[in-house]
């Protein structure tokens, strides 16, 4: 498959960014491309904070780079849960569309957020959050991977144990039985 390899080594990537930060003379077009790849791969680790750590290593020159700014805006959309807008924006940039596993990583993060936020969610809304899919089978596969249940137009994303209804048990004891237990001596 043609695409950008998504192999990830967080510490190695941080060290590369530190090297560029402290040795600006090493920065070339190729190294700037590497920085972009490192940032996108770090973003794929959400909800972990890898992206924040990598971003903190950037020089002002790198922060001002056009693609770095685009990556930053995509990160902001993900981190602020603006998922439909996120899917629109990433279509415009090759670094996202060609990065192997990027879409899957974004969906995994979105599923994580959905699970934390909802118990039940409308299926149509969930599909919007999860972005463009080939067909219904992709959606059903995601539901199965997350052990979520499709019930008509709604998807149960809570945990099964949450479905157990609590029942209040009230025992009626005659006062004669309780009085000796409560008697103060």
């Amino acid at each position: 498959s043609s695409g950008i390899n998504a192999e990830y080594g967080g510490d190695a990537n941080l060290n590369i960014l530190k090297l560029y930060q402290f040795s600006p003379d090493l920065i070339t077009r190729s190294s700037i491309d590497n920085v972009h790849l490192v940032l996108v791969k770090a973003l794929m680790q959400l909800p972990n904070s890898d992206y924040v750590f990598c971003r903190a290593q950037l020089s002002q020159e790198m922060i001002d780079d056009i693609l770095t700014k685009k990556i930053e805006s995509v990160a902001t959309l993900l981190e602020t849960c603006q998922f439909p807008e996120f899917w629109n924006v990433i279509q415009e940039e090759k670094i996202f569309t060609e990065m192997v596993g990027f879409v899957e990583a974004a969906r995994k993060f979105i599923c994580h957020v959905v699970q934390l936020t909802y118990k039940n969610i409308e299926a149509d809304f969930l599909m919007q959050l999860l972005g463009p899919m080939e067909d219904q089978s992709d959606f059903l596969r995601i539901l199965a991977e997350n052990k979520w249940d499709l019930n008509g137009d709604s998807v149960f994303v809570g945990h099964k144990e949450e479905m157990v209804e609590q029942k209040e048990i009230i025992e009626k004891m005659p006062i004669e039985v309780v009085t000796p237990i409560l008697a103060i001596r």
Side-chain angles (χ1 to χ4, degrees):
S1 88
S2 72
I4 304 165
N5 184 344
E7 215 171 288
Y8 184 74
D11 291 340
N13 289 343
L14 264 177
N15 289 333
I16 289 170
L17 295 180
K18 282 180 187 168
L19 178 69
Y20 292 148
Q21 181 186 24
F22 295 114
S23 306
D25 51 309
L26 293 177
I27 295 177
T28 62
R29 183 67 244 168
S30 165
S31 60
I32 292 172
D33 292 344
N34 288 338
V35 169
H36 294 146
L37 292 177
V38 166
L39 288 173
V40 172
K41 288 178 182 187
L43 191 54
M44 290 169 64
Q45 308 309 308
L46 281 172
N48 297 333
S49 53
D50 298 42
Y51 178 78
V52 175
F53 291 139
C54 288
R55 172 82 173 55
Q57 305 304 321
L58 300 183
S59 65
Q60 191 59 49
E61 181 187 354
M62 279 303 231
I63 291 169
D64 293 339
D65 176 82
I66 292 167
L67 186 52
T68 305
K69 285 182 175 183
K70 176 69 87 166
I71 295 167
E72 177 70 17
S73 70
V74 164
T76 300
L77 290 172
L78 270 179
E79 292 169 335
T80 57
C81 302
Q82 297 176 58
F83 303 131
E85 180 63 16
F86 160 81
W87 292 112
N88 290 334
V89 171
I90 67 163
Q91 299 308 317
E92 304 161 8
E93 203 60 62
K94 275 186 179 181
I95 196 165
F96 303 114
T97 56
E98 293 181 2
M99 175 68 76
V100 175
F102 183 78
V103 167
E104 294 78 6
R107 283 199 178 120
K108 186 177 174 189
F109 173 67
I110 292 167
C111 288
H112 169 76
V113 171
V114 166
Q115 182 108 31
L116 292 174
T117 311
Y118 296 94
K119 195 170 189 173
N120 285 290
I121 184 171
E122 286 180 38
D124 288 345
F125 181 57
L126 180 57
M127 275 193 243
Q128 282 178 18
L129 298 182
L130 293 172
M133 290 180 239
E134 294 293 317
D135 53 36
Q136 182 75 9
S137 67
D138 284 349
F139 182 64
L140 296 175
R141 180 184 45 75
I142 292 169
L143 296 186
E145 285 170 0
N146 289 282
K147 298 180 176 73
W148 293 346
D149 296 323
L150 181 60
N151 304 316
D153 295 339
S154 164
V155 177
F156 177 75
V157 298
H159 299 291
K160 299 284 183 238
E161 55 272 13
E162 291 173 6
M163 285 179 68
V164 177
E165 288 185 31
Q166 293 182 348
K167 187 174 182 180
E168 193 175 331
I169 299 171
I170 300 171
E171 289 189 32
K172 294 182 179 171
M173 297 176 103
I175 191 76
E176 303 80 42
V177 174
V178 179
T179 307
I181 299 170
L182 298 176
I184 299 172
R185 295 193 172 115

